[in-house]
Amino acid sequence: MAGSSGNSASGDAVIGGGVIGFAIALAMQRGGRRVTLIEADDVPRGASYGNAGHIAVEQVAPLASVATLRNAAQRLFVRGGALSLPPRAIRDWLPFALRFARASTPARFASGRAALGDLLGDAIPAWERLLHAVDAPHLLRAEGHLIAWESPATAAIGRAVWMEADTGTARVRDADGADIRLLRALTGDRVIDAVRVDGSAQIADISALLERLRAAFVAAGGTLVRHKARSLVPQPGGIAVDAVGMFGNVIVAAGVASGGLLRPLGYRVPIIAERGYHLQAPVAASAWPTETPPIVFEDRSMIVTRFAGGLRAASFIEFTRADARPDPRKWRRLHDHAAALGLPIGEDAERWVGARPTLPDYLPAIGRSERHPGLYYAFGHQHLGLTLAAVTGERVAAMLRGERADARFALARFGGRRGLG
C-alpha cells in the first residue's frame, strides 16, 4: 500500500533531527516530495552527534544472543566492563532485559542476523550515494578499522572469535607490520596483537556531516521546525502533529522519543535508552596521524576514532532513562583507559553522554502502519544508527513510492493492536 500522495497543503513531515531523520528527509526530497523536518533541539546532542563515527558493517550478529547472555556478568561495569545496569533504573531495564532474553533464542538470532545482514550489505553504497547527492563524498573514509588486544590471552580468544565470525561484506585479516608498528607507537607498546577489518568505514567529521545534511535539506526547499512533537492525530486526509500542522505522510524517526509518540496509537514499543559516553580532545597530527583508522581496544570495550576535530574515546552500554543524570564514573574510567594507553586525552577533554534508541531484539523498527495510512516509522537502530542511516532513508523513500515494507523490521513483531505494521 503506498502512502498518501503528499499533495496536502503541508506536504510530508519527518519527526527527528538526527542523522536518520535527515537521511530520510533528503531521500524523500530526491523523490520530489515537499518535506518539513521537526526537530526537538537547537543543537543536536544525541547519538547522531556523540557516536564513534564508525560505519560498522561487520556487526551483522545482533547483540540479542545466547552468547551475550552467557557473557553478561563478566562484562558488568562493576567488574571493569562496559555494561551498566544502574539499580535506580531497575524499573526501566528489568522489563527490557526479560524481553531481550526472549529475543535471544537461536532461531530469533538467526533470523535477526539475516535481516541485519540485508541492511548492512547496502550500508556503505547507500552512504556513497547520499554523500554524492549532498556534494560531500570526502566525509566517508572506507579504509577499515583495527581491533587490538593488550595480552596474549585476550588476543588468542579475540582473534579466534573474529576470524570465525559472520562479518557480512567486511573481511577480517591479520594486522600487517605497519599496523602493529602504528598501534605500538600510539600506545607505548601496550598492544600485543591486532586484526584489521577491511570493508568497514568511518565518517571523517560528524559535526561537518550533520551541518552538510542540514544545509542540503534547506537548499532543496525543506522546512525546519524546532518543536518537540508530543502527539500524532490521524485524521481524514492526513496526520496532525500537535499544532505544527497536518501532513499527508508522517515519518517518526525520533529515537528514544518515538515510543511516546506511537504508543497512544496502539503500538507496543519496548524501547530503552541505551546510553553511551565519550571524551574528545583536540590533538595534533604529530601525536595521532589524521589517517589513523578507528581502533577498537577490545580489552577495554573502547573505540578510539581520529576525527578532523580531535580524538574521541567512546564506550559503555548503560540501560536507563534518557534524562537520567550522567554517571561521572564512566568518564573517569575513560580517562583512566586513555592514560593507561598514553592517549592524548587529558582532563580538559569534552564530555558527552547520549542515548542510543534500542529495541530488545537489537533490530531497528522500519515500517508503516496499515491502520493509519500515511504513518511511517524508522528508529531503534541501537549502535548502528550512523551505519544504517543512509540505507534507512532509501528504504523509507521506497515505501512512500509504494514498495513493500520488510516485515522483519515491523513493530508488529512486538504485538499490540492488529494491523499496526
PDB file of all heavy atoms in Angstrom, residues 138-171:
ATOM      1  N   HIS A 138      33.914  13.339   0.425  1.00  0.00           N
ATOM      2  CA  HIS A 138      35.150  13.283   1.205  1.00  0.00           C
ATOM      3  C   HIS A 138      34.900  12.918   2.669  1.00  0.00           C
ATOM      4  O   HIS A 138      35.846  12.540   3.379  1.00  0.00           O
ATOM      5  CB  HIS A 138      35.857  14.635   1.145  1.00  0.00           C
ATOM      6  CG  HIS A 138      35.057  15.749   1.739  1.00  0.00           C
ATOM      7  ND1 HIS A 138      34.002  16.340   1.066  1.00  0.00           N
ATOM      8  CD2 HIS A 138      35.142  16.376   2.955  1.00  0.00           C
ATOM      9  CE1 HIS A 138      33.479  17.289   1.820  1.00  0.00           C
ATOM     10  NE2 HIS A 138      34.139  17.326   2.973  1.00  0.00           N
ATOM     11  N   LEU A 139      33.652  13.002   3.129  1.00  0.00           N
ATOM     12  CA  LEU A 139      33.369  12.703   4.528  1.00  0.00           C
ATOM     13  C   LEU A 139      33.351  11.208   4.828  1.00  0.00           C
ATOM     14  O   LEU A 139      33.339  10.814   5.999  1.00  0.00           O
ATOM     15  CB  LEU A 139      32.042  13.331   4.952  1.00  0.00           C
ATOM     16  CG  LEU A 139      32.034  14.858   5.060  1.00  0.00           C
ATOM     17  CD1 LEU A 139      30.642  15.370   5.396  1.00  0.00           C
ATOM     18  CD2 LEU A 139      33.048  15.332   6.103  1.00  0.00           C
ATOM     19  N   LEU A 140      33.351  10.371   3.803  1.00  0.00           N
ATOM     20  CA  LEU A 140      33.360   8.918   4.003  1.00  0.00           C
ATOM     21  C   LEU A 140      34.761   8.387   3.742  1.00  0.00           C
ATOM     22  O   LEU A 140      35.318   8.569   2.653  1.00  0.00           O
ATOM     23  CB  LEU A 140      32.362   8.233   3.067  1.00  0.00           C
ATOM     24  CG  LEU A 140      32.238   6.716   3.241  1.00  0.00           C
ATOM     25  CD1 LEU A 140      31.566   6.377   4.569  1.00  0.00           C
ATOM     26  CD2 LEU A 140      31.450   6.103   2.084  1.00  0.00           C
ATOM     27  N   ARG A 141      35.315   7.729   4.731  1.00  0.00           N
ATOM     28  CA  ARG A 141      36.632   7.095   4.591  1.00  0.00           C
ATOM     29  C   ARG A 141      36.456   5.589   4.705  1.00  0.00           C
ATOM     30  O   ARG A 141      36.292   5.058   5.801  1.00  0.00           O
ATOM     31  CB  ARG A 141      37.588   7.596   5.673  1.00  0.00           C
ATOM     32  CG  ARG A 141      37.960   9.071   5.534  1.00  0.00           C
ATOM     33  CD  ARG A 141      38.826   9.529   6.694  1.00  0.00           C
ATOM     34  NE  ARG A 141      39.965   8.645   6.912  1.00  0.00           N
ATOM     35  CZ  ARG A 141      40.757   8.690   7.988  1.00  0.00           C
ATOM     36  NH1 ARG A 141      40.501   9.547   8.953  1.00  0.00           N
ATOM     37  NH2 ARG A 141      41.775   7.860   8.102  1.00  0.00           N
ATOM     38  N   ALA A 142      36.475   4.910   3.569  1.00  0.00           N
ATOM     39  CA  ALA A 142      36.240   3.459   3.540  1.00  0.00           C
ATOM     40  C   ALA A 142      37.570   2.719   3.612  1.00  0.00           C
ATOM     41  O   ALA A 142      37.994   2.055   2.663  1.00  0.00           O
ATOM     42  CB  ALA A 142      35.466   3.090   2.285  1.00  0.00           C
ATOM     43  N   GLU A 143      38.219   2.837   4.769  1.00  0.00           N
ATOM     44  CA  GLU A 143      39.566   2.292   4.931  1.00  0.00           C
ATOM     45  C   GLU A 143      39.648   1.244   6.027  1.00  0.00           C
ATOM     46  O   GLU A 143      40.744   0.888   6.470  1.00  0.00           O
ATOM     47  CB  GLU A 143      40.547   3.444   5.215  1.00  0.00           C
ATOM     48  CG  GLU A 143      40.582   4.475   4.081  1.00  0.00           C
ATOM     49  CD  GLU A 143      41.291   5.757   4.476  1.00  0.00           C
ATOM     50  OE1 GLU A 143      41.836   5.803   5.613  1.00  0.00           O
ATOM     51  OE2 GLU A 143      41.292   6.698   3.673  1.00  0.00           O
ATOM     52  N   GLY A 144      38.507   0.742   6.501  1.00  0.00           N
ATOM     53  CA  GLY A 144      38.521  -0.302   7.507  1.00  0.00           C
ATOM     54  C   GLY A 144      38.836   0.213   8.903  1.00  0.00           C
ATOM     55  O   GLY A 144      38.889   1.412   9.154  1.00  0.00           O
ATOM     56  N   HIS A 145      39.072  -0.729   9.823  1.00  0.00           N
ATOM     57  CA  HIS A 145      39.445  -0.360  11.185  1.00  0.00           C
ATOM     58  C   HIS A 145      40.259  -1.474  11.807  1.00  0.00           C
ATOM     59  O   HIS A 145      40.417  -2.561  11.216  1.00  0.00           O
ATOM     60  CB  HIS A 145      38.214  -0.053  12.032  1.00  0.00           C
ATOM     61  CG  HIS A 145      37.342  -1.231  12.347  1.00  0.00           C
ATOM     62  ND1 HIS A 145      36.490  -1.809  11.435  1.00  0.00           N
ATOM     63  CD2 HIS A 145      37.182  -1.950  13.506  1.00  0.00           C
ATOM     64  CE1 HIS A 145      35.851  -2.820  11.997  1.00  0.00           C
ATOM     65  NE2 HIS A 145      36.256  -2.933  13.250  1.00  0.00           N
ATOM     66  N   LEU A 146      40.796  -1.221  12.996  1.00  0.00           N
ATOM     67  CA  LEU A 146      41.648  -2.173  13.693  1.00  0.00           C
ATOM     68  C   LEU A 146      41.001  -2.605  15.006  1.00  0.00           C
ATOM     69  O   LEU A 146      40.305  -1.825  15.655  1.00  0.00           O
ATOM     70  CB  LEU A 146      43.014  -1.547  13.993  1.00  0.00           C
ATOM     71  CG  LEU A 146      43.859  -1.176  12.770  1.00  0.00           C
ATOM     72  CD1 LEU A 146      44.997  -0.256  13.174  1.00  0.00           C
ATOM     73  CD2 LEU A 146      44.397  -2.432  12.091  1.00  0.00           C
ATOM     74  N   ILE A 147      41.241  -3.861  15.390  1.00  0.00           N
ATOM     75  CA  ILE A 147      40.824  -4.392  16.686  1.00  0.00           C
ATOM     76  C   ILE A 147      42.086  -4.871  17.389  1.00  0.00           C
ATOM     77  O   ILE A 147      42.822  -5.703  16.841  1.00  0.00           O
ATOM     78  CB  ILE A 147      39.822  -5.546  16.535  1.00  0.00           C
ATOM     79  CG1 ILE A 147      38.592  -5.095  15.737  1.00  0.00           C
ATOM     80  CG2 ILE A 147      39.408  -6.079  17.900  1.00  0.00           C
ATOM     81  CD1 ILE A 147      37.654  -6.229  15.362  1.00  0.00           C
ATOM     82  N   ALA A 148      42.355  -4.325  18.575  1.00  0.00           N
ATOM     83  CA  ALA A 148      43.631  -4.567  19.247  1.00  0.00           C
ATOM     84  C   ALA A 148      43.438  -5.183  20.619  1.00  0.00           C
ATOM     85  O   ALA A 148      42.409  -4.967  21.275  1.00  0.00           O
ATOM     86  CB  ALA A 148      44.398  -3.246  19.373  1.00  0.00           C
ATOM     87  N   TRP A 149      44.470  -5.939  21.055  1.00  0.00           N
ATOM     88  CA  TRP A 149      44.470  -6.569  22.380  1.00  0.00           C
ATOM     89  C   TRP A 149      45.789  -6.294  23.076  1.00  0.00           C
ATOM     90  O   TRP A 149      46.829  -6.093  22.436  1.00  0.00           O
ATOM     91  CB  TRP A 149      44.251  -8.068  22.268  1.00  0.00           C
ATOM     92  CG  TRP A 149      42.946  -8.421  21.633  1.00  0.00           C
ATOM     93  CD1 TRP A 149      41.722  -8.455  22.222  1.00  0.00           C
ATOM     94  CD2 TRP A 149      42.723  -8.764  20.257  1.00  0.00           C
ATOM     95  NE1 TRP A 149      40.758  -8.799  21.314  1.00  0.00           N
ATOM     96  CE2 TRP A 149      41.333  -9.001  20.093  1.00  0.00           C
ATOM     97  CE3 TRP A 149      43.551  -8.902  19.147  1.00  0.00           C
ATOM     98  CZ2 TRP A 149      40.774  -9.366  18.886  1.00  0.00           C
ATOM     99  CZ3 TRP A 149      42.996  -9.257  17.924  1.00  0.00           C
ATOM    100  CH2 TRP A 149      41.617  -9.488  17.802  1.00  0.00           C
ATOM    101  N   GLU A 150      45.726  -6.347  24.411  1.00  0.00           N
ATOM    102  CA  GLU A 150      46.891  -5.979  25.219  1.00  0.00           C
ATOM    103  C   GLU A 150      47.510  -7.152  25.968  1.00  0.00           C
ATOM    104  O   GLU A 150      48.460  -6.960  26.724  1.00  0.00           O
ATOM    105  CB  GLU A 150      46.501  -4.872  26.195  1.00  0.00           C
ATOM    106  CG  GLU A 150      46.027  -3.604  25.516  1.00  0.00           C
ATOM    107  CD  GLU A 150      45.391  -2.632  26.483  1.00  0.00           C
ATOM    108  OE1 GLU A 150      46.044  -2.306  27.511  1.00  0.00           O
ATOM    109  OE2 GLU A 150      44.243  -2.207  26.244  1.00  0.00           O
ATOM    110  N   SER A 151      46.975  -8.353  25.787  1.00  0.00           N
ATOM    111  CA  SER A 151      47.582  -9.518  26.433  1.00  0.00           C
ATOM    112  C   SER A 151      47.494 -10.708  25.481  1.00  0.00           C
ATOM    113  O   SER A 151      46.578 -10.783  24.652  1.00  0.00           O
ATOM    114  CB  SER A 151      46.864  -9.857  27.743  1.00  0.00           C
ATOM    115  OG  SER A 151      45.634 -10.513  27.481  1.00  0.00           O
ATOM    116  N   PRO A 152      48.440 -11.634  25.577  1.00  0.00           N
ATOM    117  CA  PRO A 152      48.385 -12.808  24.707  1.00  0.00           C
ATOM    118  C   PRO A 152      47.100 -13.611  24.880  1.00  0.00           C
ATOM    119  O   PRO A 152      46.560 -14.140  23.911  1.00  0.00           O
ATOM    120  CB  PRO A 152      49.612 -13.620  25.145  1.00  0.00           C
ATOM    121  CG  PRO A 152      50.548 -12.614  25.727  1.00  0.00           C
ATOM    122  CD  PRO A 152      49.667 -11.598  26.397  1.00  0.00           C
ATOM    123  N   ALA A 153      46.598 -13.691  26.118  1.00  0.00           N
ATOM    124  CA  ALA A 153      45.398 -14.497  26.371  1.00  0.00           C
ATOM    125  C   ALA A 153      44.180 -13.885  25.692  1.00  0.00           C
ATOM    126  O   ALA A 153      43.423 -14.591  24.998  1.00  0.00           O
ATOM    127  CB  ALA A 153      45.155 -14.620  27.875  1.00  0.00           C
ATOM    128  N   THR A 154      43.967 -12.586  25.888  1.00  0.00           N
ATOM    129  CA  THR A 154      42.797 -11.967  25.260  1.00  0.00           C
ATOM    130  C   THR A 154      42.957 -11.901  23.752  1.00  0.00           C
ATOM    131  O   THR A 154      41.977 -11.997  23.010  1.00  0.00           O
ATOM    132  CB  THR A 154      42.547 -10.555  25.828  1.00  0.00           C
ATOM    133  OG1 THR A 154      43.713  -9.742  25.649  1.00  0.00           O
ATOM    134  CG2 THR A 154      42.191 -10.629  27.299  1.00  0.00           C
ATOM    135  N   ALA A 155      44.186 -11.753  23.282  1.00  0.00           N
ATOM    136  CA  ALA A 155      44.414 -11.742  21.835  1.00  0.00           C
ATOM    137  C   ALA A 155      44.050 -13.087  21.216  1.00  0.00           C
ATOM    138  O   ALA A 155      43.428 -13.148  20.148  1.00  0.00           O
ATOM    139  CB  ALA A 155      45.874 -11.401  21.543  1.00  0.00           C
ATOM    140  N   ALA A 156      44.426 -14.179  21.877  1.00  0.00           N
ATOM    141  CA  ALA A 156      44.123 -15.507  21.335  1.00  0.00           C
ATOM    142  C   ALA A 156      42.620 -15.732  21.270  1.00  0.00           C
ATOM    143  O   ALA A 156      42.101 -16.238  20.263  1.00  0.00           O
ATOM    144  CB  ALA A 156      44.791 -16.585  22.203  1.00  0.00           C
ATOM    145  N   ILE A 157      41.919 -15.348  22.333  1.00  0.00           N
ATOM    146  CA  ILE A 157      40.461 -15.534  22.341  1.00  0.00           C
ATOM    147  C   ILE A 157      39.787 -14.617  21.329  1.00  0.00           C
ATOM    148  O   ILE A 157      38.952 -15.043  20.528  1.00  0.00           O
ATOM    149  CB  ILE A 157      39.907 -15.265  23.761  1.00  0.00           C
ATOM    150  CG1 ILE A 157      40.447 -16.301  24.748  1.00  0.00           C
ATOM    151  CG2 ILE A 157      38.381 -15.268  23.757  1.00  0.00           C
ATOM    152  CD1 ILE A 157      40.152 -15.973  26.205  1.00  0.00           C
ATOM    153  N   GLY A 158      40.150 -13.336  21.372  1.00  0.00           N
ATOM    154  CA  GLY A 158      39.514 -12.383  20.479  1.00  0.00           C
ATOM    155  C   GLY A 158      39.764 -12.664  19.022  1.00  0.00           C
ATOM    156  O   GLY A 158      38.857 -12.577  18.184  1.00  0.00           O
ATOM    157  N   ARG A 159      40.992 -13.008  18.696  1.00  0.00           N
ATOM    158  CA  ARG A 159      41.328 -13.327  17.308  1.00  0.00           C
ATOM    159  C   ARG A 159      40.496 -14.505  16.811  1.00  0.00           C
ATOM    160  O   ARG A 159      39.954 -14.490  15.703  1.00  0.00           O
ATOM    161  CB  ARG A 159      42.813 -13.638  17.196  1.00  0.00           C
ATOM    162  CG  ARG A 159      43.243 -14.173  15.840  1.00  0.00           C
ATOM    163  CD  ARG A 159      44.704 -14.573  15.877  1.00  0.00           C
ATOM    164  NE  ARG A 159      45.538 -13.390  15.945  1.00  0.00           N
ATOM    165  CZ  ARG A 159      45.907 -12.679  14.886  1.00  0.00           C
ATOM    166  NH1 ARG A 159      45.481 -13.047  13.677  1.00  0.00           N
ATOM    167  NH2 ARG A 159      46.675 -11.638  15.004  1.00  0.00           N
ATOM    168  N   ALA A 160      40.386 -15.546  17.636  1.00  0.00           N
ATOM    169  CA  ALA A 160      39.620 -16.734  17.218  1.00  0.00           C
ATOM    170  C   ALA A 160      38.160 -16.380  16.970  1.00  0.00           C
ATOM    171  O   ALA A 160      37.552 -16.839  15.995  1.00  0.00           O
ATOM    172  CB  ALA A 160      39.744 -17.819  18.291  1.00  0.00           C
ATOM    173  N   VAL A 161      37.590 -15.554  17.848  1.00  0.00           N
ATOM    174  CA  VAL A 161      36.186 -15.163  17.688  1.00  0.00           C
ATOM    175  C   VAL A 161      35.981 -14.399  16.385  1.00  0.00           C
ATOM    176  O   VAL A 161      35.068 -14.686  15.610  1.00  0.00           O
ATOM    177  CB  VAL A 161      35.728 -14.326  18.898  1.00  0.00           C
ATOM    178  CG1 VAL A 161      34.369 -13.687  18.621  1.00  0.00           C
ATOM    179  CG2 VAL A 161      35.651 -15.195  20.144  1.00  0.00           C
ATOM    180  N   TRP A 162      36.835 -13.407  16.126  1.00  0.00           N
ATOM    181  CA  TRP A 162      36.653 -12.575  14.939  1.00  0.00           C
ATOM    182  C   TRP A 162      36.934 -13.347  13.654  1.00  0.00           C
ATOM    183  O   TRP A 162      36.272 -13.133  12.630  1.00  0.00           O
ATOM    184  CB  TRP A 162      37.532 -11.327  15.020  1.00  0.00           C
ATOM    185  CG  TRP A 162      36.896 -10.256  15.839  1.00  0.00           C
ATOM    186  CD1 TRP A 162      37.256  -9.810  17.069  1.00  0.00           C
ATOM    187  CD2 TRP A 162      35.746  -9.486  15.466  1.00  0.00           C
ATOM    188  NE1 TRP A 162      36.405  -8.826  17.508  1.00  0.00           N
ATOM    189  CE2 TRP A 162      35.467  -8.600  16.536  1.00  0.00           C
ATOM    190  CE3 TRP A 162      34.926  -9.453  14.344  1.00  0.00           C
ATOM    191  CZ2 TRP A 162      34.408  -7.697  16.508  1.00  0.00           C
ATOM    192  CZ3 TRP A 162      33.867  -8.559  14.310  1.00  0.00           C
ATOM    193  CH2 TRP A 162      33.614  -7.695  15.376  1.00  0.00           C
ATOM    194  N   MET A 163      37.889 -14.245  13.679  1.00  0.00           N
ATOM    195  CA  MET A 163      38.208 -14.999  12.465  1.00  0.00           C
ATOM    196  C   MET A 163      37.072 -15.943  12.076  1.00  0.00           C
ATOM    197  O   MET A 163      36.913 -16.296  10.907  1.00  0.00           O
ATOM    198  CB  MET A 163      39.504 -15.786  12.645  1.00  0.00           C
ATOM    199  CG  MET A 163      40.754 -14.915  12.672  1.00  0.00           C
ATOM    200  SD  MET A 163      40.990 -13.996  11.126  1.00  0.00           S
ATOM    201  CE  MET A 163      42.576 -13.196  11.456  1.00  0.00           C
ATOM    202  N   GLU A 164      36.256 -16.342  13.051  1.00  0.00           N
ATOM    203  CA  GLU A 164      35.146 -17.253  12.776  1.00  0.00           C
ATOM    204  C   GLU A 164      33.811 -16.531  12.620  1.00  0.00           C
ATOM    205  O   GLU A 164      32.809 -17.135  12.244  1.00  0.00           O
ATOM    206  CB  GLU A 164      35.023 -18.283  13.910  1.00  0.00           C
ATOM    207  CG  GLU A 164      36.234 -19.198  14.037  1.00  0.00           C
ATOM    208  CD  GLU A 164      36.145 -20.115  15.243  1.00  0.00           C
ATOM    209  OE1 GLU A 164      35.087 -20.074  15.937  1.00  0.00           O
ATOM    210  OE2 GLU A 164      37.108 -20.851  15.510  1.00  0.00           O
ATOM    211  N   ALA A 165      33.773 -15.240  12.914  1.00  0.00           N
ATOM    212  CA  ALA A 165      32.513 -14.503  12.949  1.00  0.00           C
ATOM    213  C   ALA A 165      31.959 -14.244  11.550  1.00  0.00           C
ATOM    214  O   ALA A 165      32.704 -14.128  10.568  1.00  0.00           O
ATOM    215  CB  ALA A 165      32.708 -13.174  13.673  1.00  0.00           C
ATOM    216  N   ASP A 166      30.640 -14.152  11.477  1.00  0.00           N
ATOM    217  CA  ASP A 166      29.981 -13.681  10.263  1.00  0.00           C
ATOM    218  C   ASP A 166      30.086 -12.163  10.263  1.00  0.00           C
ATOM    219  O   ASP A 166      29.499 -11.490  11.098  1.00  0.00           O
ATOM    220  CB  ASP A 166      28.520 -14.119  10.271  1.00  0.00           C
ATOM    221  CG  ASP A 166      27.743 -13.628   9.047  1.00  0.00           C
ATOM    222  OD1 ASP A 166      28.343 -12.948   8.184  1.00  0.00           O
ATOM    223  OD2 ASP A 166      26.537 -13.917   8.952  1.00  0.00           O
ATOM    224  N   THR A 167      30.837 -11.608   9.325  1.00  0.00           N
ATOM    225  CA  THR A 167      31.042 -10.159   9.269  1.00  0.00           C
ATOM    226  C   THR A 167      30.479  -9.556   7.983  1.00  0.00           C
ATOM    227  O   THR A 167      30.863  -8.454   7.592  1.00  0.00           O
ATOM    228  CB  THR A 167      32.544  -9.817   9.390  1.00  0.00           C
ATOM    229  OG1 THR A 167      33.279 -10.546   8.399  1.00  0.00           O
ATOM    230  CG2 THR A 167      33.073 -10.166  10.770  1.00  0.00           C
ATOM    231  N   GLY A 168      29.575 -10.268   7.345  1.00  0.00           N
ATOM    232  CA  GLY A 168      28.896  -9.717   6.182  1.00  0.00           C
ATOM    233  C   GLY A 168      29.850  -9.363   5.059  1.00  0.00           C
ATOM    234  O   GLY A 168      30.661 -10.191   4.630  1.00  0.00           O
ATOM    235  N   THR A 169      29.776  -8.130   4.597  1.00  0.00           N
ATOM    236  CA  THR A 169      30.616  -7.692   3.486  1.00  0.00           C
ATOM    237  C   THR A 169      32.030  -7.342   3.918  1.00  0.00           C
ATOM    238  O   THR A 169      32.900  -7.118   3.070  1.00  0.00           O
ATOM    239  CB  THR A 169      29.998  -6.465   2.801  1.00  0.00           C
ATOM    240  OG1 THR A 169      29.835  -5.416   3.770  1.00  0.00           O
ATOM    241  CG2 THR A 169      28.638  -6.797   2.200  1.00  0.00           C
ATOM    242  N   ALA A 170      32.290  -7.269   5.220  1.00  0.00           N
ATOM    243  CA  ALA A 170      33.631  -6.976   5.724  1.00  0.00           C
ATOM    244  C   ALA A 170      34.442  -8.261   5.850  1.00  0.00           C
ATOM    245  O   ALA A 170      33.885  -9.356   5.950  1.00  0.00           O
ATOM    246  CB  ALA A 170      33.545  -6.271   7.071  1.00  0.00           C
ATOM    247  N   ARG A 171      35.753  -8.106   5.852  1.00  0.00           N
ATOM    248  CA  ARG A 171      36.658  -9.244   5.971  1.00  0.00           C
ATOM    249  C   ARG A 171      37.706  -8.971   7.036  1.00  0.00           C
ATOM    250  O   ARG A 171      38.288  -7.888   7.092  1.00  0.00           O
ATOM    251  CB  ARG A 171      37.359  -9.522   4.632  1.00  0.00           C
ATOM    252  CG  ARG A 171      36.405  -9.982   3.541  1.00  0.00           C
ATOM    253  CD  ARG A 171      35.820 -11.367   3.849  1.00  0.00           C
ATOM    254  NE  ARG A 171      34.850 -11.801   2.851  1.00  0.00           N
ATOM    255  CZ  ARG A 171      33.541 -11.620   2.933  1.00  0.00           C
ATOM    256  NH1 ARG A 171      33.028 -11.022   4.008  1.00  0.00           N
ATOM    257  NH2 ARG A 171      32.735 -12.033   1.987  1.00  0.00           N
TER     258      ARG A 171
END
